[in-house]
């Protein structure tokens, strides 16, 4: 008989990280009745009638989506805590925004000046 371990950690309402014995397994978004689960096996959406036991699930992608799920979970948690007045979350969002705009401008600038490379 094998032992299993599973734990669901609620970050904020509607966002959960699911942990198993092998480590972080997935990130889930949504409430009972409609959830989106992003994990190693891909992206799966589930729609159902809460309390009835009836649901329908469909797999969205065969590619690994765990990193994407964790990134979305972290951003949603940051936005939630920033809206509730956390200075650390507000500063983190500001830094992420400035870095994102800087990276976008650098990418745009490198696309418009391809002749600057030396051979």
């Amino acid at each position: 008989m094998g032992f299993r371990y599973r734990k669901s950690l609620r970050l904020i309402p509607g966002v959960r990280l699911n942990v198993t014995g092998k480590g972080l397994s997935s990130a889930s978004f949504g409430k009972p009745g409609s959830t989106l689960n992003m994990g190693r096996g891909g992206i799966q959406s589930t729609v159902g009638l809460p309390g009835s036991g009836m649901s329908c699930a469909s797999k969205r992608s065969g590619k690994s989506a765990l990193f994407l799920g964790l990134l979305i979970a972290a951003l949603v948690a940051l936005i939630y805590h920033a809206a509730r007045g956390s200075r650390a979350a507000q500063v983190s969002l500001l830094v992420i925004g400035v870095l994102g705009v800087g990276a976008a401008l650098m990418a745009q600038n490198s696309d418009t000046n391809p002749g600057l490379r030396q051979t």
Side-chain angles (χ1 to χ4, degrees):
M1 179 171 126
F3 290 98
R4 293 185 186 187
Y5 175 77
R6 183 186 173 282
K7 179 72 176 169
S8 182
L9 305 170
R10 182 177 154 218
L11 295 179
I12 59 173
V15 179
R16 292 184 315 276
L17 293 180
N18 303 308
V19 181
T20 64
K22 294 182 179 181
L24 198 57
S25 66
S26 65
S28 299
F29 306 93
K31 302 236 178 207
S34 177
T35 59
L36 182 66
N37 191 322
M38 298 179 183
R40 291 184 186 118
I43 301 172
Q44 180 173 333
S45 62
T46 306
V47 178
L49 298 171
S52 70
M54 296 183 346
S55 66
C56 178
S58 67
K59 196 150 193 152
R60 300 281 187 175
S61 172
K63 296 181 180 178
S64 174
L66 182 58
F67 179 74
L68 177 63
L70 292 175
L71 184 64
I72 292 171
L75 286 175
V76 168
L78 267 177
I79 291 168
Y80 176 81
H81 289 294
R84 295 187 58 113
S86 169
R87 281 282 183 222
Q90 292 169 352
V91 170
S92 298
L93 283 176
L94 180 64
V95 169
I96 290 169
V98 168
L99 291 176
V101 169
L105 289 174
M106 288 177 62
Q108 182 183 14
N109 196 17
S110 68
D111 289 344
T112 57
N113 295 326
L116 295 177
R117 194 167 34 167
Q118 296 178 352
T119 55

